[in-house]
Amino acid sequence: MQKYIGEILLVVTAIIWGSGFVASAVSLEYYTPYQILAGRFLIGAIILSVLFHKKLRMAKKSTVIKGAVLGIFLYVAFALQTVGLQFTTPSKNAFLTAVNVVIVPFLGFLLYKRKMDMYELGGAVLAVIGVAVLSLKLSSEINIGDLLTLLCAVGFAFHIFYTSRFVKEEDPVVLTIVQMVVAAVIGWIVVLFRGETSFSMETEGVLNLLYLGIFSTTIAYLMQTVAQKYITETKAAIILSTESFWGMAFSVIILSEVMTFKMILGAVLILLAIILSETKFGFLKKDKMKSLV
């Protein structure tokens, strides 16, 4: 069980993020996208700081610097995704964001000359195809929203990649707290700059924002950071790409969205991507087959 702790934590993270699609959709009826970002990161920063204040007091300078870098990547990626969504369709936004799965292994190769695992790379490509089938509607048009969302994918790829590097040397809890604090500070500066200081206090809006802050931000990002201590960044990106599948599943269950063959096919492709990256199809090798006879 301990061997798969990273995979288990990331699957739970993806499920929580998938459920967050519903909470985000409801929250947008009460708050602007920038208010949601500022609110969720502030909630995360407060909860984690209160729970782990002793760890925070003993934080090393290197951990704070690295956490701040992750916080900047995190907020910029979310902001680009948010702005991009205003100019493109939700399906394209979801697909282009998922392209970070393919970008991650290339970052390792380009920045650190790390050899690429062909099974993981194949799984990454398969995952992106799965997300495309799951969410993308055929359209050849490319606009500013698509480009901004693609930049958002680069931001998330850097966040996943450097989380894997930093967490090997630093305390994952402190890294998570610092990035939440930095993202919250940037978020509130943006909110104040845009003059969006009037917040709705209606129960439905507040509850959904709290869900995003507590579950999709505090718990999910803490689990992601801890999990990446035990798993490669490419595998992490592939597992996290199942967020699209879980978002679809929760939309069907909670929002009564109709399930289509396209959704099922996309889900199967994403599942095959995970099997490929995790097992490298080792169970099909002759010596493994003989042991089963």
Side-chain angles (χ1 to χ4, degrees), residues 139-212:
S139 171
S140 59
E141 294 179 6
I142 297 176
N143 57 39
I144 187 65
D146 299 330
L147 296 175
L148 289 172
T149 308
L150 198 55
L151 288 174
C152 132
V154 175
F156 279 124
F158 271 102
H159 181 266
I160 292 170
F161 179 78
Y162 278 109
T163 295
S164 276
R165 286 193 63 82
F166 294 162
V167 82
K168 300 292 188 294
E169 303 163 352
E170 310 293 348
D171 186 319
V173 174
V174 178
L175 274 177
T176 307
I177 296 171
V178 175
Q179 67 175 308
M180 288 297 116
V181 171
V182 170
V185 169
I186 298 172
W188 282 96
I189 290 173
V190 171
V191 164
L192 292 172
F193 180 77
R194 292 176 60 86
E196 299 175 354
T197 53
S198 177
F199 276 73
S200 169
M201 296 306 292
E202 289 191 44
T203 304
E204 188 177 38
V206 171
L207 288 177
N208 279 279
L209 184 58
L210 283 172
Y211 182 86
L212 288 173

Side-chain angles (χ1 to χ4, degrees), residues 30-46:
Y30 299 91
Y31 308 106
T32 70
Y34 298 101
Q35 286 178 326
I36 292 172
L37 290 182
R40 66 186 291 179
F41 288 129
L42 179 63
I43 292 167
I46 291 171

Side-chain angles (χ1 to χ4, degrees), residues 4-19 220 223-224 227-228 231 235-247 250 270-271 274 278:
Y4 297 106
I5 186 68
E7 285 89 342
I8 293 167
L9 287 174
L10 287 176
V11 168
V12 176
T13 298
I15 292 172
I16 293 173
W17 284 348
S19 68
M223 286 196 297
Q224 181 202 345
Q228 287 196 238
I231 191 172
K235 278 186 182 179
I238 292 170
I239 295 173
L240 291 174
S241 74
T242 63
E243 172 191 0
S244 301
F245 163 74
W246 295 111
F250 281 107
I270 293 171
L271 179 61
I274 294 172
E278 282 293 327

Side-chain angles (χ1 to χ4, degrees), residues 60-71:
K60 296 186 297 182
K61 183 180 178 181
S62 62
T63 314
V64 173
I65 293 171
K66 291 171 183 175
V69 170
L70 292 179

Side-chain angles (χ1 to χ4, degrees), residues 108-149:
F109 176 74
L110 294 172
L111 297 177
Y112 296 96
K113 299 295 183 283
R114 182 180 300 167
K115 186 179 178 183
M116 285 190 285
D117 183 313
M118 288 300 107
Y119 288 99
E120 289 189 356
L121 183 59
V125 172
L126 196 56
V128 170
I129 294 171
V131 173
V133 172
L134 194 69
S135 62
L136 200 59
K137 293 175 183 174
L138 294 176
S139 171
S140 59
E141 294 179 6
I142 297 176
N143 57 39
I144 187 65
D146 299 330
L147 296 175
L148 289 172
T149 308

